[in-house]
Amino acid sequence: MTETYFEFGTPADRWDRAQLFFEAKEYTTAVRILNGLVEEAPEHQGARLLLARAYYHSAQLGRAERELRTLLAADPVESYATLLLGRTLERQGRNDEARPYLRMAAAMSGDFAELGPSAAAR
């Protein structure tokens, strides 16, 4: 079995490469690299979050949702994953499901304006 560019190198090399592709907006290539990293080290929350973001930006919303729910099951107070899950659900037209996640993300960030006028008074 030969290694391709995407699988070549140490996990740290591949992590750096995935970040470069993500920053270059080459989301599907980043996904290809990150899938291997997450498979190797499922506990690597940073890789899983970047994978979810790459899925989101490449309109693979079901896959983004799956990764985000996995992240939140392991770390329920991961505020960016909470926000992104809300946005992912919203982008799928699932506004009622999205609302609690978006409100939670707003509360976590201290953005009480997002919560409505009564929340600021509490």
Side-chain angles (χ1 to χ4, degrees):
M1 179 166 71
T2 62
E3 289 184 307
T4 67
Y5 175 74
F6 304 104
E7 292 96 18
F8 181 76
T10 67
D13 293 336
R14 288 179 283 140
W15 169 246
D16 289 343
R17 192 175 307 120
Q19 289 179 307
L20 289 172
F21 278 107
F22 184 88
E23 289 168 11
K25 298 182 181 182
E26 293 287 337
Y27 302 118
T28 55
T29 304
V31 162
R32 187 171 172 184
I33 298 166
L34 289 162
N35 269 325
L37 285 173
V38 168
E39 190 176 302
E40 276 180 47
E43 72 285 351
H44 190 299
Q45 302 292 36
R48 190 175 296 277
L49 182 57
L50 191 59
L51 176 59
R53 292 175 64 201
Y55 278 142
Y56 177 85
H57 286 296
S58 61
Q60 298 180 62
L61 302 176
R63 290 177 175 161
E65 180 182 349
R66 182 188 68 228
E67 294 302 329
L68 291 163
R69 289 189 186 280
T70 300
L71 267 167
L72 290 172
D75 185 2
V77 295
E78 191 356 288
S79 61
Y80 189 76
T82 303
L83 173 65
L84 191 57
L85 179 56
R87 295 241 172 106
T88 299
L89 294 168
E90 207 174 40
R91 199 167 160 195
Q92 294 177 74
R94 295 161 58 191
N95 295 334
D96 290 342
E97 289 177 68
R99 195 169 296 113
Y101 292 101
L102 296 173
R103 290 177 58 85
M104 180 68 73
M108 289 176 175
S109 71
D111 189 0
F112 296 109
E114 290 291 319
L115 298 174
S118 63
R122 290 184 204 153

